[in-house]
């Protein structure tokens, strides 16, 4: 089904937003350039949860505390509802600024990174490692040679990790060892051709919704690479998506409008003159 979705705007007006998550009845996201983690209710009311230097990926520990990646600090922070503290310093193990993340059921954290140390200022992406932070807050490399590891999801049983390799133009899947979180059996979940997958979301049928930044579309892809649904972002860059809502069937999409004359979304993000918003539509599958 191509484009047969009615979209509405939930909230917006930020220079850049990333990493949408549906949690506890609200949509959470990271306002990277504003240094804030936000939560948005169904009416579009925005609450500032906490302030984090260049926040990106986020997730929740089993005790309910929020974890947030800080790109500029090359670290993960934890917020307990009152104070923000360092959770794990990744400077000695990441090859570039850390990016998105996902937390498993027991509190292990998978974190990707750019590979390039100065990607936002023009350095080309480089293959990089995927890092696991265990429940003792000790990081270790669990996979290598990912080309700009970005959005990540775990299947409901936690036995498969799917990673968007933005400039590898694919979704990559790994089997997860339940004992220690190690990854094995690397395979291509979906070859996306020229598309540049950024943030992703897993639906109830095991398909993955993907924001393709540079081709300006959101797509639903099943294991093996077949695209079953596509939403044209109407000239805006398609950043990332999440599934939630009161019925669990709302697709939330972060889109980005570049400033006039800017064609490269990375340039607009670096300059801070793009405009991001959250759009939503009902999936109704």
């Amino acid at each position: 089904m191509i484009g047969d979705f009615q979209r509405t705007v939930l909230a917006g007006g930020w220079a850049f937003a990333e990493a949408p998550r549906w949690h506890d009845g609200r949509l959470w996201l990271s306002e990277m350039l504003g240094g804030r983690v936000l939560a948005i209710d169904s009416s579009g009311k925005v609450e500032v949860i906490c302030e984090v230097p260049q926040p990106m990926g986020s997730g929740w520990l089993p005790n309910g505390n929020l974890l947030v990646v800080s790109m500029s600090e090359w670290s993960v922070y934890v917020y307990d509802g009152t104070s923000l503290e360092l959770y794990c310093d990744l400077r000695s193990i990441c090859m570039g600024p850390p990016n998105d993340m996902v937390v498993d059921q027991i509190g292990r954290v998978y974190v990707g990174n750019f590979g390039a140390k100065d990607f936002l200022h023009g350095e080309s992406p480089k293959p990089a490692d995927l890092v696991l932070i265990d429940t003792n807050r000790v990081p270790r490399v669990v996979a290598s040679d990912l080309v700009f590891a970005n959005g990540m999801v775990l299947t409901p049983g936690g036995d498969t990790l799917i990673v968007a390799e933005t400039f590898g133009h694919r979704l990559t899947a790994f089997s997860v060892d339940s004992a220690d979180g190690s990854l094995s059996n690397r395979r291509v979940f979906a070859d996306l051709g020229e598309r540049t997958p950024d943030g992703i979301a897993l639906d109830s049928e095991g398909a993955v919704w993907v924001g393709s930044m540079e081709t300006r579309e959101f797509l639903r892809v099943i294991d093996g690479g077949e695209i079953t649904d596509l939403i044209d972002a109407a000239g805006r860059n398609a950043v990332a998506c999440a599934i939630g809502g009161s019925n669990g069937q709302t697709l939330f999409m972060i889109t980005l409008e570049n400033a006039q004359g800017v064609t490269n979304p990375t340039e607009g993000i670096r300059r801070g003159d793009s405009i991001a918003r959250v759009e939503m539509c009902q999936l109704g599958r």
Side-chain angles (χ1 to χ4, degrees):
M1 185 162 57
I2 307 298
D4 189 20
F5 296 89
Q6 298 298 314
R7 305 199 305 273
T8 58
V9 176
L10 177 64
W14 315 289
F16 185 57
E18 255 282 14
R21 311 281 193 258
W22 182 258
H23 176 74
D24 198 22
R26 294 189 293 177
L27 184 74
W28 300 55
L29 56 81
S30 293
E31 185 193 0
M32 187 190 82
L33 297 180
R36 306 186 300 176
V37 177
L38 310 176
I40 310 168
D41 69 14
S42 59
S43 71
K45 181 181 178 181
V46 179
E47 178 187 355
V48 178
I49 300 299
C50 60
E51 296 185 356
V52 180
Q54 286 193 347
M56 285 296 283
S58 63
W60 287 265
L61 292 170
N63 65 4
N65 288 347
L66 172 68
L67 294 181
V68 185
V69 168
S70 169
M71 278 181 51
S72 60
E73 301 294 314
W74 290 45
S75 297
V76 174
Y77 284 88
V78 59
Y79 180 68
D80 64 2
T82 302
S83 60
L84 187 76
E85 297 180 357
L86 180 66
Y87 186 80
C88 185
D89 188 325
L90 299 174
R91 285 175 293 181
S92 65
I93 196 167
C94 277
M95 306 166 74
N99 188 15
D100 217 331
M101 66 178 289
V102 68
V103 184
D104 74 8
Q105 295 174 340
I106 67 170
R108 293 180 298 218
V109 186
Y110 295 90
V111 185
N113 71 86
F114 292 172
K117 292 184 178 181
D118 203 12
F119 170 75
L120 291 180
H121 291 85
E123 186 179 357
S124 298
K126 297 180 177 63
D129 298 332
L130 189 66
V131 173
L132 171 67
I133 305 171
D134 67 22
T135 55
N136 294 315
R137 306 191 184 189
V138 177
R140 61 186 173 90
V141 172
V142 288
S144 299
D145 296 324
L146 285 90
V147 187
F148 207 93
N150 213 322
M152 287 179 271
V153 293
L154 283 160
T155 53
D159 58 352
T160 302
L161 175 71
I162 303 170
V163 183
E165 293 188 68
T166 299
F167 297 109
H169 308 285
R170 59 182 171 254
L171 302 182
T172 298
F174 297 90
S175 298
V176 180
D177 187 316
S178 60
D180 67 359
S182 295
L183 303 180
S184 62
N185 301 323
R186 180 174 181 164
R187 61 185 179 84
V188 176
F189 182 94
D191 184 335
L192 297 176
E194 296 182 353
R195 293 179 169 95
T196 49
D198 192 326
I200 62 177
L202 190 71
D203 73 13
S204 59
E205 297 177 354
V208 178
W209 279 92
V210 182
S212 177
M213 175 75 90
E214 295 185 356
T215 59
R216 300 182 175 186
E217 59 193 345
F218 293 91
L219 51 135
R220 181 181 185 267
V221 61
I222 60 177
D223 195 351
E226 179 185 351
I227 296 171
T228 65
D229 300 86
L230 189 147
I231 301 174
D232 188 328
R236 300 174 65 89
N237 295 113
V239 181
C241 54
I243 296 173
S246 59
N247 62 358
Q249 289 293 308
T250 302
L251 180 67
F252 297 94
M253 300 164 284
I254 295 179
T255 63
L256 186 71
E257 180 182 2
N258 293 320
Q260 187 172 3
V262 176
T263 58
N264 184 337
T266 303
E267 180 184 351
I269 294 167
R270 177 179 56 81
R271 289 172 24 172
D273 54 10
S274 298
I275 301 175
R277 71 187 185 198
V278 176
E279 303 179 37
M280 56 186 183
C281 67
Q282 294 302 310
L283 298 178
R285 300 191 64 83

